[in-house]
Amino acid sequence: VLIEALALQQHESDYPLSLDRYRKAVCLLEAQSKAVPAEVLTNMGVLCHETKRYEEALEMYSKALKVLDESPEAAELAKSSEKSKDIVVRHKDNNLFWVYEESDIRVEAVSDTEKPTLVVRNPLTNLESLEFKAGDDLALNDIDVQVKEIINSDDNTIHIVVNDDAALPSSETRIKIKRSNGRLRNPSSISVAFNLARLHETAGRIVPAVELHKAIVKCHPSYVNSYLRLACIARDCGSLKDCSEWLKSAVAVAPGNPEVLTLVGNLHLS
């Protein structure tokens, strides 16, 4: 059944039939208590995307990433000393690539300030003791805020200024800090991430699409497809200068790629 599904996937007119065959194959695998390969789930996501089943496509990509989380490659990356928690994506629509982590830092809202401000209740004496910086995202119970400024006050307390529209809780709260979940470091996950970015584009979610493409090339500088998509998005938004810069990066990593050369030629015609 999987072979038939793959064969049908080669022709656009057969996409619905191919997707049906994949679904049957998944049912058979699950009935035999066998794991569904990430490649199958990714292919199903692409077919759902192409047939405008966007929510189902997102579900398939999410399942594919969960399967890849259990791979030996992911396990090695998790143990790696190079593991970084630096957040490269933060948009809510890219929540498959970040997670809120618990911290021991307790904060409370300050009532007599012009901007929404939190005071740290832990006995910390310097800013280096914090586990976050300006620009990072925090969660206070069910409230999401972004850190705008961190101030070490004269009374040796640390104040955290957050976004103007934040509705801060009235009681003392332990914060959570948004961190990368490491998926973008796994080379096997990048094709899924790219497909998800393309899904964002098709669904009109340009901001998370750009964020995810940029994160892909930051983590994997030789991934030319994301450079090309960033160039196309910039062109479509009327920014030929940005388009040119992204194409220069694409040429640098894949100088003989025909798609790169075609886009460069089209840009010159523009």
Short mmCIF file of all heavy atoms in Angstrom, two decimals, residues 83-86 98-105 131-132 137-139 174-182:
data_model
loop_
_atom_site.label_atom_id
_atom_site.label_comp_id
_atom_site.label_asym_id
_atom_site.label_seq_id
_atom_site.Cartn_x
_atom_site.Cartn_y
_atom_site.Cartn_z
N LYS A 83 24.69 21.55 23.10
CA LYS A 83 23.27 21.87 23.19
C LYS A 83 23.07 23.32 23.64
O LYS A 83 23.64 23.76 24.61
CB LYS A 83 22.58 20.94 24.19
CG LYS A 83 21.06 21.17 24.30
CD LYS A 83 20.45 20.20 25.28
CE LYS A 83 18.96 20.44 25.41
NZ LYS A 83 18.31 19.54 26.37
N SER A 84 22.26 24.03 22.88
CA SER A 84 22.00 25.44 23.19
C SER A 84 20.52 25.67 23.41
O SER A 84 19.68 25.10 22.71
CB SER A 84 22.49 26.32 22.03
OG SER A 84 22.08 27.65 22.23
N LYS A 85 20.21 26.49 24.39
CA LYS A 85 18.81 26.82 24.65
C LYS A 85 18.44 28.17 24.05
O LYS A 85 17.37 28.69 24.30
CB LYS A 85 18.56 26.83 26.17
CG LYS A 85 18.65 25.45 26.80
CD LYS A 85 18.28 25.48 28.27
CE LYS A 85 18.32 24.09 28.88
NZ LYS A 85 17.94 24.10 30.31
N ASP A 86 19.36 28.74 23.27
CA ASP A 86 19.05 30.03 22.65
C ASP A 86 17.83 29.89 21.77
O ASP A 86 17.74 28.98 20.95
CB ASP A 86 20.24 30.52 21.81
CG ASP A 86 21.39 31.00 22.67
OD1 ASP A 86 21.16 31.21 23.86
OD2 ASP A 86 22.50 31.15 22.14
N TRP A 98 9.60 25.37 20.17
CA TRP A 98 9.99 25.95 21.47
C TRP A 98 9.13 25.38 22.58
O TRP A 98 8.10 24.77 22.34
CB TRP A 98 9.92 27.48 21.46
CG TRP A 98 8.63 28.12 21.04
CD1 TRP A 98 8.35 28.69 19.84
CD2 TRP A 98 7.44 28.29 21.84
NE1 TRP A 98 7.07 29.18 19.83
CE2 TRP A 98 6.48 28.96 21.04
CE3 TRP A 98 7.08 27.94 23.14
CZ2 TRP A 98 5.20 29.29 21.50
CZ3 TRP A 98 5.80 28.27 23.61
CH2 TRP A 98 4.89 28.93 22.79
N VAL A 99 9.59 25.61 23.79
CA VAL A 99 8.87 25.11 24.96
C VAL A 99 9.11 26.08 26.12
O VAL A 99 10.15 26.76 26.18
CB VAL A 99 9.37 23.69 25.34
CG1 VAL A 99 10.83 23.71 25.76
CG2 VAL A 99 8.50 23.07 26.41
N TYR A 100 8.16 26.19 27.02
CA TYR A 100 8.36 26.97 28.24
C TYR A 100 8.96 26.06 29.31
O TYR A 100 8.40 25.02 29.63
CB TYR A 100 7.03 27.56 28.74
CG TYR A 100 6.65 28.86 28.09
CD1 TYR A 100 5.50 28.98 27.33
CD2 TYR A 100 7.46 29.99 28.25
CE1 TYR A 100 5.14 30.19 26.74
CE2 TYR A 100 7.12 31.20 27.66
CZ TYR A 100 5.97 31.29 26.91
OH TYR A 100 5.64 32.49 26.33
N GLU A 101 10.10 26.48 29.87
CA GLU A 101 10.76 25.70 30.90
C GLU A 101 10.55 26.35 32.27
O GLU A 101 10.60 27.58 32.40
CB GLU A 101 12.27 25.59 30.62
CG GLU A 101 12.59 24.72 29.42
CD GLU A 101 14.08 24.49 29.27
OE1 GLU A 101 14.87 25.16 29.99
OE2 GLU A 101 14.48 23.66 28.43
N GLU A 102 10.36 25.51 33.26
CA GLU A 102 10.18 26.00 34.63
C GLU A 102 11.47 26.66 35.13
O GLU A 102 12.57 26.27 34.73
CB GLU A 102 9.82 24.83 35.56
CG GLU A 102 8.51 24.14 35.24
CD GLU A 102 7.31 24.88 35.79
OE1 GLU A 102 7.51 25.92 36.47
OE2 GLU A 102 6.18 24.43 35.54
N SER A 103 11.32 27.65 35.99
CA SER A 103 12.48 28.26 36.65
C SER A 103 12.16 28.42 38.13
O SER A 103 11.02 28.26 38.56
CB SER A 103 12.80 29.61 36.02
OG SER A 103 11.96 30.61 36.54
N ASP A 104 13.18 28.76 38.91
CA ASP A 104 12.98 29.01 40.35
C ASP A 104 12.77 30.48 40.65
O ASP A 104 12.66 30.88 41.82
CB ASP A 104 14.21 28.50 41.13
CG ASP A 104 14.33 26.98 41.07
OD1 ASP A 104 13.29 26.31 41.04
OD2 ASP A 104 15.47 26.49 41.04
N ILE A 105 12.71 31.29 39.61
CA ILE A 105 12.60 32.73 39.81
C ILE A 105 11.14 33.13 40.08
O ILE A 105 10.24 32.79 39.30
CB ILE A 105 13.14 33.49 38.58
CG1 ILE A 105 14.62 33.14 38.38
CG2 ILE A 105 12.96 34.99 38.76
CD1 ILE A 105 15.21 33.70 37.11
N GLU A 131 18.16 34.01 34.39
CA GLU A 131 18.30 33.00 33.33
C GLU A 131 17.74 33.49 32.01
O GLU A 131 17.55 32.72 31.08
CB GLU A 131 17.56 31.73 33.75
CG GLU A 131 18.06 31.13 35.06
CD GLU A 131 17.17 29.99 35.54
OE1 GLU A 131 16.57 29.31 34.69
OE2 GLU A 131 17.06 29.79 36.76
N PHE A 132 17.48 34.80 31.91
CA PHE A 132 16.93 35.35 30.68
C PHE A 132 17.46 36.76 30.49
O PHE A 132 18.13 37.31 31.36
CB PHE A 132 15.39 35.35 30.73
CG PHE A 132 14.82 36.04 31.94
CD1 PHE A 132 14.61 37.41 31.94
CD2 PHE A 132 14.51 35.33 33.09
CE1 PHE A 132 14.10 38.06 33.05
CE2 PHE A 132 14.00 35.96 34.21
CZ PHE A 132 13.79 37.34 34.19
N ASP A 137 10.98 35.73 26.05
CA ASP A 137 9.56 35.57 26.38
C ASP A 137 9.42 34.76 27.67
O ASP A 137 10.12 33.76 27.87
CB ASP A 137 8.82 34.85 25.26
CG ASP A 137 8.80 35.67 23.98
OD1 ASP A 137 8.54 36.88 24.08
OD2 ASP A 137 9.04 35.11 22.89
N LEU A 138 8.49 35.20 28.51
CA LEU A 138 8.22 34.54 29.78
C LEU A 138 6.74 34.18 29.85
O LEU A 138 5.90 34.77 29.16
CB LEU A 138 8.57 35.45 30.95
CG LEU A 138 9.95 36.12 30.96
CD1 LEU A 138 10.07 37.05 32.16
CD2 LEU A 138 11.07 35.08 30.97
N ALA A 139 6.42 33.21 30.71
CA ALA A 139 5.03 32.88 31.00
C ALA A 139 4.81 33.02 32.49
O ALA A 139 5.58 32.51 33.31
CB ALA A 139 4.71 31.46 30.55
N ARG A 174 5.79 32.17 39.97
CA ARG A 174 7.05 31.60 39.46
C ARG A 174 7.00 31.64 37.93
O ARG A 174 6.01 31.23 37.33
CB ARG A 174 7.22 30.17 39.95
CG ARG A 174 8.52 29.52 39.46
CD ARG A 174 8.69 28.14 40.04
NE ARG A 174 8.91 28.20 41.48
CZ ARG A 174 9.14 27.13 42.24
NH1 ARG A 174 9.17 25.93 41.69
NH2 ARG A 174 9.32 27.26 43.54
N ILE A 175 8.06 32.14 37.32
CA ILE A 175 8.03 32.32 35.87
C ILE A 175 8.53 31.08 35.13
O ILE A 175 9.29 30.26 35.66
CB ILE A 175 8.87 33.54 35.44
CG1 ILE A 175 10.37 33.29 35.71
CG2 ILE A 175 8.40 34.81 36.11
CD1 ILE A 175 11.26 34.34 35.10
N LYS A 176 8.08 30.98 33.89
CA LYS A 176 8.61 30.00 32.94
C LYS A 176 9.30 30.79 31.82
O LYS A 176 8.88 31.89 31.48
CB LYS A 176 7.49 29.15 32.36
CG LYS A 176 6.77 28.28 33.38
CD LYS A 176 5.65 27.49 32.72
CE LYS A 176 4.89 26.65 33.74
NZ LYS A 176 3.78 25.89 33.11
N ILE A 177 10.34 30.20 31.25
CA ILE A 177 11.14 30.88 30.24
C ILE A 177 11.05 30.12 28.92
O ILE A 177 11.23 28.89 28.90
CB ILE A 177 12.61 30.98 30.68
CG1 ILE A 177 12.71 31.64 32.06
CG2 ILE A 177 13.43 31.76 29.66
CD1 ILE A 177 14.08 31.55 32.68
N LYS A 178 10.76 30.83 27.83
CA LYS A 178 10.68 30.18 26.52
C LYS A 178 12.08 29.81 26.04
O LYS A 178 12.98 30.63 25.99
CB LYS A 178 10.00 31.11 25.50
CG LYS A 178 9.75 30.47 24.16
CD LYS A 178 9.10 31.43 23.17
CE LYS A 178 7.64 31.66 23.49
NZ LYS A 178 6.98 32.48 22.43
N ARG A 179 12.24 28.52 25.69
CA ARG A 179 13.52 28.00 25.23
C ARG A 179 13.33 27.19 23.96
O ARG A 179 12.26 26.68 23.69
CB ARG A 179 14.14 27.08 26.29
CG ARG A 179 14.40 27.70 27.64
CD ARG A 179 15.49 28.73 27.59
NE ARG A 179 15.97 29.09 28.92
CZ ARG A 179 16.70 30.15 29.19
NH1 ARG A 179 17.05 30.96 28.21
NH2 ARG A 179 17.10 30.41 30.42
N SER A 180 14.40 27.07 23.21
CA SER A 180 14.39 26.17 22.06
C SER A 180 14.25 24.73 22.56
O SER A 180 14.84 24.36 23.58
CB SER A 180 15.69 26.30 21.27
OG SER A 180 15.79 25.27 20.30
N ASN A 181 13.47 23.91 21.86
CA ASN A 181 13.35 22.50 22.25
C ASN A 181 14.37 21.62 21.53
O ASN A 181 14.36 20.39 21.68
CB ASN A 181 11.93 21.98 22.01
CG ASN A 181 11.49 22.07 20.57
OD1 ASN A 181 12.31 22.26 19.66
ND2 ASN A 181 10.19 21.93 20.34
N GLY A 182 15.25 22.23 20.74
CA GLY A 182 16.34 21.49 20.10
C GLY A 182 16.00 20.84 18.77
O GLY A 182 16.89 20.31 18.10
#
